[in-house]
């Protein structure tokens, strides 16, 4: 949706919402804005059913065991919906613009969603939670650090419950090692070796797919491929170049990265259909044995490998180590900041109860029960470590992290050990990227804990889309690199210059 249309819809939707709320409030005396206490006056009043929009997960939130636990512990019955797996931002924009009366909306916590959240807040689409948390959120305030809240503020106000992430490297390239063995090839460690392996996959066809073989496949909306892009010194969306934070498009290495990927495409080493691949399409090509390498998050390893083994019982796999570029650069992006954020739209009919619900979820005992279950039933605890009891932990807590709305920041990093150990393949994948790979390969997102930055927030999503689509066209051959300077000028005029200045004004203050 273009920005102008979004604004028109937003203004219209907010106006309708305001009118609707005014009419309803006049008749019922229900929920007051900004933390009114009408519903709180009677502790025995029945609790309303809440409506929560969540990030995508493979299981239905409403029937997942954690939902029942939370209903019993908090007293709130909740109807859960979820965003789509692909392009959730587009669906979220539509729901906010149409004033869908969700009482809580949880999104990812990366730069894109943080910018989107800030945009909503600036446009008046969200409830200011500051007074509600002060009044109804003692557990929220006790669990979430001031630093975390400060990073989530927009114009000094709290519009979201931030869920601080456990910092780790998430995604790298997964390769079919049985294909390597079949061709008597070693695991690649440099970009040149990687290209040679892809070439062998194409020419010698270890998968037996003929011209349907895709040595490397990626998603069409993600042309900056983890691990490869790190070998060009650009592991994160913004990286330090000469003391300045620089978006990938303006990075001196951008043209070299595009040239490398374009060459892979021209040689038939990159999936010829990559531009239309969605996440599921890309994974299906790998699990069906038609692709030899894909970018894969460690959390997806069990599901993807189960599917791969079903189709290719003898398949073997492993992460490729952090590839070195020609000048020795390498790096895997490490997430930081927020794993997710939860906000309450102005269209909510029960904002006060939504805060009470989230506060109840952060009661220490309830939080631990939600996150990892019961000791002796779901996990064991010994020498400071939590180990899951399988299969019940996987059956009943595998998706528990998607119910988080803020975490017990002191204890959750310890509890989390149980989560990553729930599947040996999961632990091995996480351990490889975060323990076995050298520490200098992990590069934390420098903007992970940046405060609200108005220009950056306003422009980040549209600029990211511009850059991504342009990069895909370059790799695909629909644009030529000779037009790079003209595109850069368009990028800068579309907010790139303003964002760069703002980000680096802030960066200069934290580097002192």
């Amino acid at each position: 949706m273009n920005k102008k249309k979004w604004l028109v819809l937003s203004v219209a939707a907010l106006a309708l919402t305001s009118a609707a709320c005014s009419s309803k409030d006049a008749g019922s005396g229900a929920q007051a804005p900004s933390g009114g206490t009408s519903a709180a006056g009677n502790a025995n009043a029945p609790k309303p059913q809440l409506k929560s929009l969540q990030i995508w997960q493979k299981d239905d939130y409403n029937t997942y065991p954690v939902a029942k636990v939370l209903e019993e512990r908090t007293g709130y019955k909740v109807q859960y919906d979820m965003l789509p797996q692909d392009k959730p931002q587009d669906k979220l924009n539509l729901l906010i613009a149409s004033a869908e009366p969700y009482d809580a909306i949880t999104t990812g916590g990366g730069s894109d969603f943080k910018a989107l959240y800030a945009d909503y807040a600036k446009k008046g689409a969200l409830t200011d939670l500051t007074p509600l948390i002060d009044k109804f959120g003692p557990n929220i305030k006790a669990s979430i650090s001031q630093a975390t809240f400060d990073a989530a503020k927009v114009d000094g106000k709290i519009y979201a419950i931030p869920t601080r992430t456990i910092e780790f490297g998430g995604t790298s390239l997964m390769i079919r090692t049985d294909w390597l063995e079949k061709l008597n090839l070693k695991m690649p460690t440099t970009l040149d070796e990687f290209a040679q392996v892809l070439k062998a996959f194409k020419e010698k066809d270890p998968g037996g797919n003929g011209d349907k073989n895709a040595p490397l496949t990626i998603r069409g909306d993600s042309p900056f491929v983890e691990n490869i892009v790190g070998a060009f010194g650009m592991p994160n969306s913004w990286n330090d170049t000469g003391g300045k934070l620089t978006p990938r498009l303006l990075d001196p290495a951008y043209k070299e990265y595009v040239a490398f990927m374009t060459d892979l495409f021209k040689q038939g080493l990159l999936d010829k259909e990559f531009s239309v691949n969605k996440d599921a399409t890309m994974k299906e090509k790998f699990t069906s044995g038609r692709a030899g390498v894909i970018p894969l998050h460690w959390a997806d390893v069990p599901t993807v490998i189960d599917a791969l083994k079903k189709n290719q019982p003898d398949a073997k796999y492993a992460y490729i180590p952090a590839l070195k570029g020609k000048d020795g650069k390498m790096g895997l992006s490490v997430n930081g900041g927020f794993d997710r954020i939860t906000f309450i739209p102005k269209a909510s009919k029960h904002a006060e109860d939504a805060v009470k619900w989230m506060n109840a979820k952060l009661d220490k005992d309830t939080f631990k029960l939600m996150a990892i279950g019961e000791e002796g039933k779901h996990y064991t605890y010994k020498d400071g470590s939590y180990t899951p009891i399988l299969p019940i932990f996987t059956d009943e807590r595998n998706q528990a992290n998607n119910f988080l709305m803020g975490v017990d920041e002191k204890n959750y990093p310890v509890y989390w050990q149980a989560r990553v150990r729930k599947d040996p393949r999961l632990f091995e994948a996480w351990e490889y990227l975060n323990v076995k790979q050298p520490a200098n390969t992990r590069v934390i997102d420098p903007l992970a804990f940046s405060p609200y930055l108005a220009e950056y927030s306003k422009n980040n999503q549209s600029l990211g889309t511009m850059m991504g689509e342009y990069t895909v066209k370059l790799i695909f051959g629909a644009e030529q690199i000779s037009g790079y300077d003209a595109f850069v000028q368009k990028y800068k005029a579309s907010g790139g210059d303003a964002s760069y200045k703002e980000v680096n004004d802030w960066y200069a203050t934290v580097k002192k």
Side-chain angles (χ1 to χ4, degrees):
M1 179 184 299
N2 64 50
K3 187 175 180 182
K4 185 175 180 181
K5 188 175 181 181
W6 193 98
L7 286 170
V8 170
L9 284 171
S10 294
V11 170
L14 289 172
L16 288 169
T17 303
S18 177
C21 288
S22 297
S23 174
K24 181 170 183 175
D25 289 350
S28 66
Q31 183 188 332
S34 302
T37 59
S38 56
N42 182 0
N44 297 320
K47 295 177 178 177
Q49 177 171 321
L50 302 178
K51 190 175 176 185
S52 184
L53 181 65
Q54 310 282 125
I55 64 174
W56 182 90
Q57 69 170 22
K58 68 180 181 65
D59 299 312
D60 183 349
Y61 279 90
N62 297 287
T63 56
Y64 199 76
V66 171
K68 183 178 180 182
V69 169
L70 289 175
E71 182 176 340
E72 291 173 351
R73 297 296 290 249
T74 69
Y76 283 98
K77 186 172 180 60
V78 180
Q79 175 194 326
Y80 295 96
D81 297 328
M82 57 181 163
L83 290 163
Q85 188 175 18
D86 290 312
K87 297 185 177 181
Q89 298 94 335
D90 292 351
K91 179 70 173 179
L92 183 60
N93 280 338
L94 286 171
L95 292 172
I96 292 292
S98 60
E100 283 294 317
Y102 282 104
D103 300 303
I105 295 178
T106 298
T107 72
S111 297
D112 287 354
F113 279 109
K114 198 163 70 171
L116 207 57
Y117 144 71
D119 277 351
Y120 296 156
K122 295 286 285 187
K123 290 168 181 168
L126 305 185
T127 301
D128 176 10
L129 302 185
T130 313
L132 293 174
I133 293 172
D134 282 342
K135 196 161 190 174
F136 304 113
N139 296 332
I140 295 172
K141 296 173 77 171
S143 300
I144 301 173
S145 68
Q146 189 61 48
T148 302
F149 270 130
D150 286 346
K153 286 180 177 176
V154 178
D155 293 339
K157 296 179 180 178
I158 300 170
Y159 288 95
I161 303 297
T163 299
R164 186 166 180 156
T165 192
I166 306 290
E167 294 178 357
F168 52 72
T171 300
S172 187
L173 294 169
M174 181 69 75
I175 190 169
R176 285 284 297 272
T177 55
D178 55 316
W179 286 20
L180 289 175
E181 292 171 1
K182 193 171 183 179
L183 302 180
N184 196 28
L185 297 171
K186 294 181 179 178
M187 180 70 82
T189 60
T190 67
L191 283 179
D192 288 343
E193 291 174 1
F194 179 62
Q196 289 302 313
V197 165
L198 295 181
K199 191 174 181 181
F201 281 3
K202 178 178 184 292
E203 294 177 349
K204 299 181 179 178
D205 192 21
N209 301 295
D211 60 2
K212 293 182 179 179
N213 212 42
L216 166 67
T217 190
I218 61 176
R219 285 165 37 190
D221 63 353
S222 189
F224 294 99
V225 183
E226 295 279 1
N227 199 340
I228 297 176
V229 77
F232 289 89
M234 303 186 295
N236 291 295
S237 296
W238 289 65
N239 300 280
D240 189 320
T241 58
K244 298 285 189 179
L245 286 188
T246 307
R248 284 169 172 156
L249 180 72
L250 305 182
D251 195 295
Y254 175 80
K255 287 185 178 180
E256 294 178 39
Y257 174 76
V258 169
F260 180 81
M261 296 300 292
T262 302
D263 188 51
L264 293 185
F265 183 77
K266 286 180 177 177
Q267 292 189 61
L269 309 183
L270 173 62
D271 184 3
K272 61 185 179 184
E273 300 171 336
F274 87 90
S275 64
V276 295
N277 278 352
K278 296 186 176 181
D279 184 74
T281 318
M282 176 190 72
K283 290 174 179 171
E284 192 279 331
K285 289 182 176 178
F286 185 75
T287 58
S288 65
R290 289 186 292 143
V293 184
I294 59 166
L296 189 66
H297 193 285
W298 58 261
D300 290 333
V301 165
T303 302
V304 168
I305 297 307
D306 280 344
L308 174 64
K309 288 288 191 178
K310 183 177 180 181
N311 295 321
Q312 309 263 317
D314 297 327
K316 298 179 183 177
Y317 60 90
Y319 273 127
I320 295 174
L323 296 168
K324 289 184 180 177
K326 65 179 182 181
D327 53 2
K329 288 182 179 177
M330 58 182 176
L332 302 173
S333 177
V334 169
N335 61 334
F338 304 148
D339 180 61
R340 61 201 68 206
I341 49 179
T342 301
F343 46 80
I344 300 175
K346 280 281 182 65
S348 166
K349 297 177 181 177
H350 310 292
E352 185 177 294
D353 281 284
V355 170
K356 291 178 180 177
W357 174 56
M358 289 187 269
N359 183 70
K361 289 171 66 174
L362 284 169
D363 168 83
K364 284 190 176 299
D365 292 339
T366 300
F367 178 79
K368 189 173 184 179
L369 180 63
M370 169 180 63
I372 59 173
E374 301 175 42
E375 185 173 4
K377 178 180 178 182
H378 296 97
Y379 66 86
T380 59
Y381 178 73
K382 184 178 181 182
D383 299 330
S385 295
Y386 292 87
T387 302
I389 296 173
L390 301 176
I392 192 170
F393 184 94
T394 301
D395 292 342
E396 299 188 353
R397 291 297 183 276
N398 192 42
Q399 305 289 341
N401 60 315
N402 289 334
F403 288 81
L404 300 179
M405 295 176 178
V407 296
D408 178 342
E409 292 186 2
K410 179 181 178 182
N411 293 307
Y412 188 57
V414 183
Y415 299 159
W416 188 79
Q417 297 172 32
R419 296 193 53 74
V420 80
R421 289 190 173 96
K422 61 180 179 285
D423 186 310
R425 298 166 300 178
L426 193 70
F427 182 74
E428 288 173 8
W430 173 85
E431 183 184 41
Y432 179 79
L433 297 180
N434 293 283
V435 179
K436 293 184 176 179
Q437 284 285 276
N440 65 353
T441 64
R442 293 183 286 277
V443 185
I444 192 165
D445 178 359
L447 286 169
F449 271 108
S450 64
Y452 168 67
L453 300 169
E455 291 295 333
Y456 170 80
S457 298
K458 180 174 69 178
N459 301 314
N460 184 53
Q461 186 184 19
S462 59
L463 290 176
T465 300
M466 275 182 67
M467 179 173 59
E469 291 178 349
Y470 178 65
T471 304
V472 169
K473 289 179 180 177
L474 285 173
I475 296 172
F476 202 71
E479 292 273 2
Q480 302 302 312
I481 199 65
S482 56
Y484 170 79
D485 289 342
F487 182 80
V488 165
Q489 292 308 311
K490 179 181 176 184
Y491 176 91
K492 289 182 174 179
S494 301
D497 262 344
S499 297
Y500 182 87
K501 181 182 184 307
E502 182 184 50
V503 165
N504 280 287
D505 284 349
W506 162 75
Y507 193 52
T509 65
V510 298
K511 288 188 68 179
K512 290 180 179 177

